[in-house]
Every structure is written in C-alpha cells, then in structure tokens.
Amino acid sequence: QVQLQESGPGLVKASETLSLTCTVSGASISSYYLSWIRQPPGKGLEWIGYIYYTGSTNYNPSLKSRVTMSVDTSKNQFYLRLSAVTAADTAVYYCARSPVVPAANWFDPWGQGTLVTVSS
Amino acid sequence: DIVMTQSPDSLAVSLGERATVNCKSSQSVLYTSKNKNYLAWYQQKPGQPPKLLIYWASTRESGVPDRFSGSGSGTDFTLTISSLQAEDVAVYFCQQYYTTPLTFGGGTKVEIK
C-alpha cells in the first residue's frame, strides 16, 4: 500500500523560503507524476505543480516564479521550495501521486498534509 | 486556465435520500479522439486529505460504495449519492485534468437534514 508523508517546518517567516519533503513508502516513485497541492484554511484546493521521477516539472503559472520542485529517487522523496512567502501562502500542503496511466492526472493517494503558517 | 464551478455551495439532505452535486467547466474537458472526459471527483472529511471517488467522470475508484456515481460530458458533470449515509457528510470537489494547470472546483458541503 503506497503511502505519502509530508514533512517540514510548520512556521515560516514572511519573505523567506518554504521547504517541504514528501516521503513515499510502499512503492518506488519511479514512473509516477508527483504533485504538490495546497489548501488555505477553510478554502479550496490549488495545484502547485508536479514533477516526474526523471526530474521534469510542470508548475502552475500563478506560482511558477517562486516554485522549485526536485526529486531524489534513491530516497524515494520529492521536494517543494516556495520562495518569498507571504501570509497568502499559509495553507495545508499536500503531496499526492498520479497513476501511471498516460494523461491520468488525478490524485491518489494523498499525504495527510502539513500546515504551514507564514508569520510576519 | 479552466475554471471549475460547483453548485450548490452546500446542501442538506435527509438520510437515505439522494444528493446531487454539480460541476461545470469553463471549457470542454472531453478528449473527443479518446471519448474520455478528463474529470475526477473527491470527498474530503474534516481534518483529512481528499479521497478519490471517481475518475474519467464516471469510473468509480476501487472500494468506493456504489451509491456514488458520476455522470456528464463536455462541460457539465454531476456527482450523485443515491442514498445518503451519515458517513457521507463531507465536502466534495471536482477536478479537471484535461490540461495544466490542473484545477479544482470550489467544493460542495454535504450535510444531513
């Protein structure tokens, strides 16, 4: 059973860089698209972007200038960095996997999510 | 970007009754050459991540009860819970994966009347 788990600081100062790790267990991350998705408290879902196990990426244009994703297949981990954060970046951040089927960019499974609060 | 609009924002349904959630996309998510609608539905309970219910607009994920069904094509889609159970109280989201950026609807909160 594949499981994903996010980790990283729960509090980040405004203007600094948010850094999160997603650890995948139960399966190799090779051959999968791995996404980061966020949800501000009480609000809807925003796709941040995805990374393929080869390292190729696709970012949401709304965040593209501030986002960097990377992957370490040897550790079965992938990473998110979001620079120059503001209060608007306060959210629960999820990592999620998309299946191997071509163009099947739905999300399953998801990690439990980690709340990141940006302080001023 | 494809904008996904859900309606209603919330609804209250009696136990055992039908609940219907609507999702409209700002452009078609039907890939005509494959005859597939690139739309998924999720259920999110408080304090939990979303759970995949349906993909390709109408294919139920393994383990999802058959009271959940998806329908629609092109730009208009529906999630139906045929007989609402207490454990179905949640927020439901639609998501298009026709093109990036991948986008979600705003969510519909389903409650017990």
Side-chain angles (χ1 to χ4, degrees), chain B residues 14-47:
Chain B
S14 300
L15 287 172
E17 296 299 307
R18 178 183 301 259
T20 301
V21 179
N22 302 301
C23 174
K24 187 175 183 69
S25 56
S26 61
Q27 66 185 73
S28 176
V29 298
L30 171 63
Y31 198 142
T32 51
S33 63
K34 297 181 183 296
N35 196 31
K36 284 184 178 293
N37 287 284
Y38 284 47
L39 185 109
W41 287 98
Y42 300 86
Q43 175 193 64
Q44 186 177 32
K45 297 181 179 180

Side-chain angles (χ1 to χ4, degrees), chain A residues 38-54:
Chain A
R38 69 182 184 177
Q39 184 172 35
K43 295 189 178 180
L45 298 158
E46 180 181 30
W47 175 73
I48 300 169
Y50 64 57
I51 184 166
Y52 195 44
Y53 78 103
T54 57

Side-chain angles (χ1 to χ4, degrees), chain A residues 49-86:
Chain A
Y50 64 57
I51 184 166
Y52 195 44
Y53 78 103
T54 57
S56 66
T57 56
N58 187 325
Y59 300 146
N60 192 323
S62 67
L63 296 166
K64 188 174 183 177
S65 63
R66 300 193 290 130
V67 172
T68 304
M69 295 183 185
S70 57
V71 62
D72 187 335
T73 55
S74 68
K75 294 183 178 179
N76 241 30
Q77 291 179 331
F78 62 113
Y79 311 97
L80 169 70
R81 287 173 59 85
L82 180 66
S83 64
V85 297
T86 69

Side-chain angles (χ1 to χ4, degrees), chain B residues 7-8 11 13 18-22 41 77-81 108 110:
Chain B
S7 63
L11 75 159
V13 175
R18 178 183 301 259
T20 301
V21 179
N22 302 301
W41 287 98
F77 300 90
T78 300
L79 172 71
T80 301
I81 309 172
T108 295
V110 175

